[in-house]
């Protein structure tokens, strides 16, 4: 089963509109030379989304993601942003369950599950992040942690067609330490088997599973060449147009 790669930049709390415009000035020129077929996604802060969407007019094939969304519809929820607002702004994907949301902001599997369902109901596509800490991996809990995150995070989600999964080992995020291609492949294969148990083999064969954790141009080809790795979610190396484009270039083999 061939799955189109999806390569996404998570800008986190970086790049206001001016910095994003400077990135796109360079990136939109570079992308004209890109021969690969990967889906390309940029995830700016909420504040920067409208200027990125406006600037992408004339810079084809790039979709926009938000880094979070409210599970609420509207009303007295200070500081939140709704799925309807994101749709109106031109967003297509929503990153959910990132380890920073889980560990710093206390998002539980239940909260993430509510956000996944809200996102899908609005016609947006969740990039649903899962991953274990080093302590969990070394303590032999890798499989149980991932199984719980998947089972609880996707509870009552009937159809995975619009869901992208991002496997991001917490110990590899922003640390410069990357899972080896073999470790990442083994874990992606396991994640796909959990999906097969829950949704059946054809859904498991179709679902795209990105790897995230210190992906850079130098390691992208090896990681993205693994049979169960269907793309990358990139933090640090996506802040510069040149290195993010370098990852894309290493995705077309
Ligand atoms: C991330 O935050 O999703 C991420 C993978 O970051 P980095 O590439 O910097 O490890």
């Amino acid at each position: 089963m061939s799955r189109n790669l999806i390569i996404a930049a998570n800008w986190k709390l970086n790049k206001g509109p001016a910095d994003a415009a400077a990135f796109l000035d360079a990136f939109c020129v570079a992308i004209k030379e890109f021969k690969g077929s990967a889906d390309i996604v940029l995830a700016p802060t909420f504040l920067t989304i409208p200027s990125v969407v406006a600037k992408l007019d004339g810079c084809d094939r790039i979709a926009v993601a938000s880094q979070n969304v409210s599970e609420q519809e509207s009303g007295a929820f200070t500081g939140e942003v709704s799925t309807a607002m994101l749709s109106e702004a031109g967003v297509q994907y929503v990153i959910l369950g990132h380890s920073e949301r889980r560990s710093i902001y206390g998002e539980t599997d239940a909260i993430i599950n509510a956000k996944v369902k809200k996102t899908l109901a609005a016609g947006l596509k969740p990039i649903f992040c899962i991953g274990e800490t080093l302590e969990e991996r070394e303590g032999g809990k890798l499989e149980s942690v991932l199984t719980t995150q998947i089972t609880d995070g996707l509870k009552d989600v009937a159809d995975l067609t619009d869901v992208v999964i991002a496997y991001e080992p917490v110990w590899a995020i922003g640390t410069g330490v990357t899972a080896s291609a073999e470790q990442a492949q083994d874990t992606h294969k396991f994640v796909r088997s959990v999906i097969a148990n829950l949704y059946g083999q054809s859904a498991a064969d179709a679902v795209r599973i990105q790897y995230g954790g210190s992906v850079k141009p130098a390691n992208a080809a090896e990681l993205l060449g693994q049979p169960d790795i269907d793309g990358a979610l990139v933090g640090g190396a996506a802040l510069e147009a040149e290195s993010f484009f370098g990852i894309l270039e290493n995705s077309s083999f």
Side-chain angles (χ1 to χ4, degrees), residues 176-178 213-221 223 234 237 243 246-247 250:
V177 178
T178 318
S214 300
V215 177
K216 44 189 184 263
N219 61 23
L223 287 161
V234 188
S243 61
I247 291 169
N250 279 294

Side-chain angles (χ1 to χ4, degrees), residues 112-134:
I112 295 158
N113 176 245
K115 293 184 176 193
V116 168
K117 288 188 284 190
K118 195 82 192 157
T119 295
L120 287 167
L124 298 166
K125 298 173 180 169
I127 295 178
F128 167 63
C129 303
I130 55 172
E132 82 290 359
T133 63
L134 192 56

Side-chain angles (χ1 to χ4, degrees), residues 58-124:
C59 176
D60 286 344
R61 62 176 301 174
I62 302 170
V64 175
S66 65
Q67 301 170 19
N68 190 16
V69 75
S70 175
E71 68 274 38
Q72 305 294 341
E73 184 74 25
S74 63
F77 301 102
T78 302
E80 295 292 284
V81 172
S82 72
T83 50
M85 292 168 189
L86 294 179
S87 292
E88 188 181 341
V91 164
Q92 287 161 265
Y93 293 88
V94 182
I95 298 175
L96 292 172
H98 190 279
S99 72
E100 288 150 17
R101 299 295 320 168
R102 291 176 187 265
S103 67
I104 304 172
Y105 298 101
E107 289 195 12
T108 60
D109 289 326
I111 293 171
I112 295 158
N113 176 245
K115 293 184 176 193
V116 168
K117 288 188 284 190
K118 195 82 192 157
T119 295
L120 287 167
L124 298 166

